[in-house]
Amino acid sequence: MSTKKFLLEEKDIPSAWYNIIPDMPNKPLPLLNPKTKDPLKTEELFPIFAEELARQEMNVTDSWIAIPDEVRELYRIWRPTPLVRATGLEKALDTPAHIYFKNESVSPIGSHKLNSALAQAYYCKKEGVTNITTETGAGQWGAALSFAAKAFGLELAVYMVKVSYHQKPYRRSIMQTFGAEVIASPSMSTRAGKDIITRNPNYQGSLGTAISEAVELAMQTPNCKYTLGSALNHVMLHQTVIGLEAEKQMEMAGEYPDVVIACFGGGSNFSGISFPFLRHKLRENSAVRVVAAEPTSCPKLTRGEFQYDYGDEAGYTPLIPMFTLGHNFAPANIHAGGLRYHGSGAIVSQLMKDGLMEAVDIQQLDTFKAATIFARAEGIIPAPESSHAIAAAIQEAEAAKREGKKKVILFNLSGHGLIDMASYDRYFAGDLANYSVSDEELKQNFKELEKII
Ligand SMILES: *Cc1c(COP(=O)(O)O)cnc(C)c1O
């Protein structure tokens, strides 16, 4: 057990994505049409999404969906990604636990987001789409999609959450380098944006608002589709390449995880690393635990309500059955911009409801502390989002130490933080704070939810 890094060859890049729905004991409730409240038909998604992506979204029967050669060819730029035994971190924590991480930060844009961006751009191109729109929080999804759009010759407009637009100017530069148009959201370029600015002129934006703007532009532009970087079933599907590779790599390491951990925004990197392992639990009753780590300031899984809600602020998206804080929830301006989302995907929400996964919440200062320990031990500076997973992994390793037990921990390093150094500066200067949400505030938001369930 002296090897630290477990590498696959290009031929080991998965040839199919794993769809967990056929293996779920209870399927996710159907999406609903926002106007009629009737279960949504696949065709109703066609005006917004590429048709093949809409079909993947609604597919509850096929466990495996072939990855197109054109997408797999582009995956070869950086996949397979390494699995690393974090021996430095184990030593720093003086824990009997074995800690492994899947390093998705090695993608050209620095996060897991490219796994789905390339797939989505490919299907749009194949169907004759010329323009695509999207939203981005911290800028990771926008950056990934900018490269994917360029790779397939599509024009892209990105609505970027205003607070991140100013906090993370380099992500904007990256998107512009790849040729995308970037607009700070809320903007005056859409009705949804104008409405919100009129109500609250200083609003710094949220993913929910940016989604409304991007959907509105897509619906008003000919030959234009909208794309989403998280929460939806087809995004979870594309991300399973992470866990499918990790499954083989854990075998190479001769170990099997007791617990699989990922940070949680809308659930895509969490689903990506955990669903292939959860499949062992669902099919063969393996004892693996899967844990989502979310910010205390945006606690949809640990304190949200399971209810139908919109994926966006203005209510343009289908109604999604999910754990939500309410689509009007305005999260604090934490530096993990990619985790500032009010809701969660339909699949993970059902898994959570059925007790097949767990969630923990992590305070902002604990994430930066964990990030610093990890960076000093492993030489990689993690994204503030990923640091939630690291903090949760450290908690698990410390529990193993207290109990004097060996435990195998696997977490996903969803991205690096080299473009987030301003956040680290603020942490070292003592300028960062913890944020919690009061029960009152949550109750207020829950009141605004329609009680469909
Ligand atoms: C977007 C992002 C996340 C959160 O999104 P999920 O869909 O929940 O994975 C986490 N980490 C990084 C680095 C991201 O860019």
Side-chain angles (χ1 to χ4, degrees), residues 51 63 83 85 106 131 148 164 228 266 274 284 289 299 321 371 391 399 419:
E51 295 187 7
S63 292
L83 178 86
R85 169 105 183 253
V106 300
N131 292 63
S164 297
L228 185 62
S274 72
E284 297 137 37
R289 293 168 51 220
I419 302 161

Side-chain angles (χ1 to χ4, degrees), residues 358-374:
E358 304 164 34
V360 292
D361 68 295
I362 313 275
Q363 284 282 12
Q364 176 159 262
L365 292 178
D366 292 335
T367 68
F368 278 92
K369 184 172 171 219
T372 309
I373 294 170
F374 177 79

